[in-house]
């Protein structure tokens, strides 16, 4: 057991410096599956991945945070105003661009990387 753990730690120690430049490059696969061109010739999904280098300042929080109910409740009406504001925030600039979020001129949106992996991974059809 100790030998296997030592081997794993050694392998990770060697692999980490090799993988670090890739992770910092900001380039992730857009999708994992693309249908044959004879079946689909439309636009392909493109991952929005111009990720920021730092978190935004707390003063940049969206205004809908001010609408959070003061008291926790399971009553939806308590949350309605907040949820409507969150929904509107998400829709602004994305609906007009057919959810190509990298084309949103109001605010930056980013896709989660590595969702392309596996048989149920992100597919290439936009």
């Amino acid at each position: 057991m100790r030998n296997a753990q030592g081997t794993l730690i050694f392998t990770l120690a060697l692999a980490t410096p090799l993988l670090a430049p890739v992770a910092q490059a900001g380039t992730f696969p857009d999708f994992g599956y693309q249908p044959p061109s004879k079946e689909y010739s439309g636009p392909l999904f493109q991952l929005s991945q111009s990720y920021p280098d730092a978190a935004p300042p707390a003063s940049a929080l969206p205004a809908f945070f001010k609408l959070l109910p003061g008291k926790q409740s399971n009553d939806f009406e308590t949350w309605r105003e907040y949820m409507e504001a969150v929904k509107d925030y998400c829709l602004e600039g994305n609906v007009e661009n057919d959810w190509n979020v990298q084309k949103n001129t109001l605010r930056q949106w980013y896709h989660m990387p590595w969702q392309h992996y596996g048989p149920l991974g992100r597919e290439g059809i936009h």
Side-chain angles (χ1 to χ4, degrees):
M1 176 79 86
R2 189 175 203 182
N3 190 18
Q5 287 177 334
T7 303
L8 176 62
I9 291 170
F10 179 74
T11 304
L12 288 175
L14 283 178
T16 300
L18 296 174
L19 296 175
V22 174
Q24 294 172 358
T27 303
F28 302 99
D30 291 321
F31 49 83
Y33 171 75
Q34 180 178 351
S37 57
K38 64 182 178 183
E39 292 178 21
Y40 178 78
S41 61
L44 295 173
F45 175 79
Q46 183 180 14
L47 194 73
S48 175
Q49 54 183 321
S50 57
Y51 306 104
D53 293 328
S59 61
L61 286 176
F64 62 77
F65 278 101
K66 294 177 184 168
L67 300 174
L68 272 167
K71 182 180 177 190
Q72 297 285 330
S73 170
N74 287 336
D75 179 13
F76 181 75
E77 291 307 316
T78 305
W79 294 89
R80 183 177 296 278
E81 184 179 14
Y82 169 76
M83 292 305 298
E84 288 289 332
V86 170
K87 179 185 78 174
D88 292 343
Y89 180 89
C90 293
L91 294 174
E92 289 176 340
N94 288 323
V95 173
E96 301 84 358
N97 289 306
D98 193 27
W99 290 94
N100 285 305
V101 299
Q102 57 272 34
K103 295 180 181 178
N104 187 325
T105 58
L106 299 175
R107 61 186 61 96
Q108 292 289 314
W109 288 90
Y110 314 97
H111 291 108
M112 182 179 285
W114 299 321
Q115 297 296 302
H116 69 286
Y117 182 76
L120 299 176
R122 184 180 285 132
E123 46 115 277
I125 298 176
H126 171 66

